[in-house]
Amino acid sequence: MEEAFGYSVEVLKRLVSIPTVAPQGDHYEEAAELLARELESMGFEVAVERVPAEYQREKCRHASENPRFIVYGRRGEGGPALHFNGHYDVVPGGPGWTVTEPFKPVVKDGKLYGRGAIDMKGGIAAALGAFKALQLSGAWPQGLRLEAAFVPDEEIGGECGTGYLVNGMGVTPEYVILPEPSGLEKPWHGHRGILWMKVRVKGRTAHASTPWHGRNAFLLASAIALDLQQALAAMYAGRRSKYRIEPEESARPTVSLGGEAGVTGGGKTNQVPGEFYFTVDRRLIPEETVAQARGELVGVLTWLSVKHGAEVEAEEVISAEPAINEPGELYEALREAARQSGRVIGQPVVCPGGLDMWYYTVKGSKALAYGPRGELAHAPDEHIDLVELRFLVEAFARLPLTLAGALQRRT
């Protein structure tokens, strides 16, 4: 186990040093090649699939023109598949780092620092470390196929990552583990959905010295945004998910306005803005659908356009359905693997954010997300505690064996 853990740390350092920033994707191929080599070295049959350019243009509007690569590995024949999914793309490094630079990994005080150390190259390294432990021990599971999929673009919706893996390549495993930063106390068995929209409010441009000749789109958009917030808050007040979502506030639908906002095409101090935009971030509880949320937003905006006498347009930017599943034997096997590795885990809860899980659950896969603490995901000085990484390597190495044993007992 110690050799496998050391391998995991070294792989994580190499992964963090590759700046696989979404949506640019400048170094995706380099990361994909590294991951494919590691899987092949442990006896996996590996395919590196380039997402077709036509699919990328049609489905992945927020991706750059750089190619997208999916690494898919299989080991073993017959039986159901236990499939580990990890995304190798990361958010930009950003300012504010004090321990190291974002893509120069450093180990300090028992922690490995660098962008993606938690979200989620650390999870990928834990899975690879688990495979290494199985290889070193020779204890590969019987009656269970092992799979790994390492994908891009989760940070921008996943259409050119897990979306293409499932819908384009037809990969629909029976059991899925996503080593996302859930925290080690309990796994996630679902996640909230997401709908991003861009709202444009049109006025009339004029010179600022004669503002009566124009109609200020900024002021119109501000009034519409305030009314929209109030109308949606009233609409969502009576809704609460029956599922356990942590933190508790996430059990209700939420909306956030104005994460991005500005004068379309850029403004000037001496000009009355003729068009202003703002964004809407709507999070869905598992009982809702994207179509429902979209219809509600468009309906309220249509009413507000009449109320304020303004032309209003709404464009969908990103959407993903909520996910929920009852993982049954997968959870029981994970709980037993964690117990054997020295930790007791609680009942699954729903993730307040979004994941790639929904691509699998709509196809019938049983899925759990389980990984390190995630407080510093996307933040300066992102790091993973190496004690947690070692635990995950061991727990993930035991999981195929506990799941195979559970399936054999059922038959």
Side-chain angles (χ1 to χ4, degrees):
M1 189 57 63
E2 292 309 314
E3 184 177 345
F5 168 60
Y7 162 81
S8 180
V9 172
E10 292 306 310
V11 166
L12 180 53
K13 288 179 183 177
R14 290 156 61 197
L15 283 172
V16 168
S17 69
I18 304 174
T20 49
V21 176
Q24 296 93 327
D26 291 333
H27 299 274
Y28 281 1
E29 186 170 12
E30 181 181 354
E33 290 175 350
L34 185 158
L35 292 165
R37 287 196 302 271
E38 296 306 319
L39 286 174
E40 286 172 345
S41 74
M42 291 179 282
F44 281 76
E45 179 184 339
V46 180
V48 178
E49 183 94 3
R50 177 174 174 172
V51 176
E54 183 177 349
Y55 181 98
Q56 185 171 327
R57 284 192 298 270
E58 179 185 348
K59 300 285 189 180
C60 313
R61 293 180 297 143
H62 306 288
S64 71
E65 294 183 355
N66 287 325
R68 270 53 188 161
F69 298 93
I70 292 171
V71 181
Y72 175 52
R74 299 170 43 145
R75 196 182 197 286
E77 297 293 336
L82 174 60
H83 174 104
F84 287 81
N85 172 294
H87 68 86
Y88 59 77
D89 63 307
V90 298
V91 298
W97 291 70
T98 61
V99 176
T100 185
E101 296 177 28
F103 301 106
K104 293 184 177 180
V106 165
V107 174
K108 182 179 180 181
D109 299 328
K111 302 176 179 66
L112 192 152
Y113 290 79
R115 176 59 79 228
I118 298 172
D119 189 11
M120 67 171 294
K121 291 177 176 179
I124 291 175
L128 288 171
F131 300 153
K132 177 63 73 172
L134 291 169
Q135 180 191 38
L136 292 170
S137 66
W140 297 102
Q142 300 298 311
L144 186 70
R145 190 170 71 253
L146 276 182
E147 295 185 356
F150 302 132
V151 300
D153 285 0
E154 189 270 352
E155 299 290 358
I156 56 171
E159 282 287 358
C160 271
T162 302
Y164 184 73
L165 173 79
V166 172
N167 298 314
M169 296 170 60
V171 176
T172 55
E174 288 82 359
Y175 302 102
V176 180
I177 291 289
L178 301 95
E180 289 275 13
S182 63
L184 300 182
E185 291 75 21
K186 52 183 77 75
W188 290 326
H189 70 127
H191 57 78
R192 294 203 296 173
I194 185 170
L195 172 63
W196 287 359
M197 299 194 79
K198 188 174 187 177
V199 178
R200 294 183 179 87
V201 180
K202 299 186 178 183
R204 186 169 59 252
T205 303
H207 197 286
S209 66
T210 55
W212 54 88
H213 290 310
R215 195 172 186 214
N216 193 312
F218 164 69
L219 296 178
L220 279 171
S222 299
I224 288 171
L226 287 171
D227 283 353
L228 178 63
Q229 181 75 45
Q230 292 175 355
L232 294 177
M235 184 181 296
Y236 304 154
R239 298 181 194 172
R240 185 179 182 86
S241 178
K242 67 180 181 181
Y243 298 100
R244 186 179 172 191
I245 308 178
E246 295 184 355
E248 190 174 304
E249 293 84 353
S250 300
R252 298 186 187 278
T254 57
V255 65
S256 178
L257 307 184
E260 295 181 33
V263 177
T264 304
K268 288 191 68 178
T269 303
N270 63 347
Q271 187 177 49
V272 175
E275 182 175 307
F276 196 87
Y277 72 89
F278 61 90
T279 55
V280 178
D281 182 322
R282 166 78 155 88
R283 299 300 170 119
L284 292 66
I285 57 176
E287 292 84 351
E288 298 178 306
T289 66
V290 168
Q292 174 191 353
R294 184 192 302 114
E296 291 171 348
L297 275 167
V298 171
V300 174
L301 286 169
T302 300
W303 167 64
L304 291 175
S305 71
V306 174
K307 175 184 175 181
H308 292 274
E311 184 179 349
V312 179
E313 296 178 352
E315 173 192 2
E316 183 173 320
V317 179
I318 285 177
S319 65
E321 297 288 351
I324 196 73
N325 78 115
E326 299 303 329
E329 62 273 20
L330 178 61
Y331 167 69
E332 296 300 331
L334 178 62
R335 184 173 66 174
E336 177 59 20
R339 187 195 66 79
Q340 292 178 12
S341 304
R343 181 177 289 270
V344 176
I345 64 173
Q347 291 293 319
V349 297
V350 175
C351 171
L355 307 170
D356 274 353
M357 185 185 291
W358 76 279
Y359 289 108
Y360 293 106
T361 57
V362 298
K363 299 293 187 180
S365 300
K366 294 186 176 183
L368 285 171
Y370 186 65
R373 287 175 295 171
E375 292 90 344
L376 289 177
H378 296 198
D381 291 333
E382 179 179 351
H383 62 265
I384 186 170
D385 188 312
L386 294 181
V387 173
E388 293 194 1
L389 179 61
R390 190 200 179 285
F391 165 78
L392 287 168
V393 170
E394 182 172 352
F396 288 162
R398 294 182 182 277
L399 175 58
L401 307 177
T402 58
L403 180 58
L407 295 176
Q408 288 171 3
R409 288 191 294 273
R410 288 176 61 191
T411 58

